C-alpha cells in the first residue's frame, strides 16, 4: 500500500509580483509556510512586506504569480473570499472600528459564518484569550489603549477561525512589555491551536525569537531565508538587512 500524499503547506507563494504603477513592491517573491508554524517576514521600510501581505490576503491584486492556502488557489479571489478559505489579515494599525464597541468589533469578525452558536462560542473564546476585552466589551474600541486595540484586532481576525493569520507590524507603537506579551501570545496560539502565523515586523529580533522560520525582503525580493535561529546567528544578514 502506498503512503498517503503529504499535506500541502498552509501557505505557498510562487513568483508573486505586485506593483504600484511602474514600481514593483513585490518582485517575484516565492515562499512556503508550513502548517502550525510562525514565519517572520522581515526587512527595512519599503522592502515590500506590507504589500506582500495585502496581496496574499486579496486586499491588493497581484500582477502575476500564485498564492495557495492548503493547496487551494487564492490568487484572484477578493479579500472576503480569502477569509472564507481560512486566511485572515490584521493590517498595520489593526484596523478596528473605533466608534463600535469591543463586542461589536468581535461580532463583525465572525459575521459571515452561518453557525450562530459557533459565533457565540468564538466570541467567548476571545474573551477567555483576552480577559481585558471581556472587561471592556461595552466600551468603544477608541477608548482602548494601543495594546488593547491590537488584542481586539487579533481577536476579531480569530473570530473567523482562520488556519493562517497574517499579522502586519502588531508591535508598532507599543511599549516593549506589551510587545513581549503579544509575541508570547502568538507562540501560545501556535502551540495550543496549531494556528499558522505569518508575522511582518520591524522588531526583527523579537519576531525571530518566537518564529520558526524567517524570510528577509529587500527591494521586493527575498534576500535571505532559513530557520529563525540561523538568521539570528547570521551576522552578515543581520547587519545588512535587519539593523542589529
Amino acid at each position: 500500500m502506498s503512503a498517503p500524499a503529504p499535506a500541502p503547506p498552509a501557505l505557498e507563494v510562487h513568483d508573486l509580483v505586485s506593483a504600484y504603477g511602474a514600481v514593483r513592491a513585490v518582485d517575484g517573491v516565492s515562499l512556503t509556510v508550513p502548517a502550525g508554524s510562525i514565519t517572520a517576514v522581515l526587512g527595512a521600510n519599503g522592502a515590500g512586506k506590507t504589500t506582500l501581505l495585502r496581496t496574499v490576503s486579496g486586499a491588493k491584486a497581484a500582477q502575476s504569480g500564485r498564492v495557495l492556502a492548503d493547496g487551494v488557489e487564492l490568487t484572484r479571489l477578493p479579500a472576503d473570499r480569502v477569509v472564507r478559505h481560512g486566511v485572515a489579515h490584521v493590517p498595520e494599525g489593526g484596523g478596528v472600528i473605533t466608534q463600535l464597541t469591543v463586542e461589536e468589533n468581535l461580532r463583525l469578525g465572525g459575521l459571515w459564518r452561518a453557525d450562530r452558536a459557533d459565533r457565540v462560542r468564538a466570541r467567548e473564546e476571545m474573551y477567555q484569550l483576552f480577559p481585558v476585552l471581556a472587561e471592556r466589551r461595552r466600551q468603544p474600541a477608541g477608548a482602548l489603549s494601543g495594546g488593547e486595540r491590537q488584542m481586539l484586532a487579533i481577536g476579531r481576525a480569530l473570530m473567523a477561525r482562520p488556519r493562517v493569520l497574517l499579522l502586519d507590524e502588531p508591535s508598532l507603537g507599543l511599549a516593549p512589555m506589551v510587545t513581549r506579551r503579544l509575541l508570547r501570545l502568538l507562540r501560545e496560539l501556535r502551540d495550543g491551536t496549531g494556528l499558522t502565523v505569518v508575522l511582518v515586523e520591524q522588531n526583527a529580533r523579537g519576531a525571530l525569537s518566537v518564529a520558526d522560520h524567517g524570510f528577509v525582503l529587500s527591494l521586493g525580493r527575498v534576500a535571505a531565508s532559513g530557520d529563525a535561529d540561523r538568521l539570528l546567528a547570521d551576522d552578515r544578514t543581520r547587519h545588512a538587512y535587519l539593523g542589529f
Side-chain angles (χ1 to χ4, degrees), residues 80 84 91 99 101 105 110 117 126 139 167 222 243:
D80 63 314
R84 291 170 190 256
Q99 296 89 344
T101 67
N105 270 279
M126 293 308 105
Q139 294 184 14
L167 273 176
V222 176

Side-chain angles (χ1 to χ4, degrees), residues 64-104:
S64 61
R66 302 179 70 202
V67 176
L68 299 96
D70 293 326
V72 176
E73 182 87 38
L74 303 182
T75 316
R76 300 291 179 263
L77 296 183
D80 63 314
R81 294 278 303 282
V82 172
V83 173
R84 291 170 190 256
H85 281 285
V87 178
H89 180 198
V90 179
E92 182 180 330
V96 300
I97 301 176
T98 56
Q99 296 89 344
L100 298 182
T101 67
V102 166
E103 184 147 312
E104 288 166 341

Side-chain angles (χ1 to χ4, degrees), residues 212-228:
D212 302 291
H213 318 282
F215 291 85
V216 179
L217 298 188
S218 178
L219 300 177
R221 300 186 177 216
V222 176
S225 64
D227 292 342

Side-chain angles (χ1 to χ4, degrees), residues 13-14 18 24-25 32 55 78 87 117 122 140 150 166 175 179 186 210 216 218:
V13 175
H14 298 286
S18 187
R24 288 190 171 196
T32 299
T55 307
V87 178
Q150 192 61 259
L166 310 176
T179 295
L186 298 182
V210 298
V216 179
S218 178

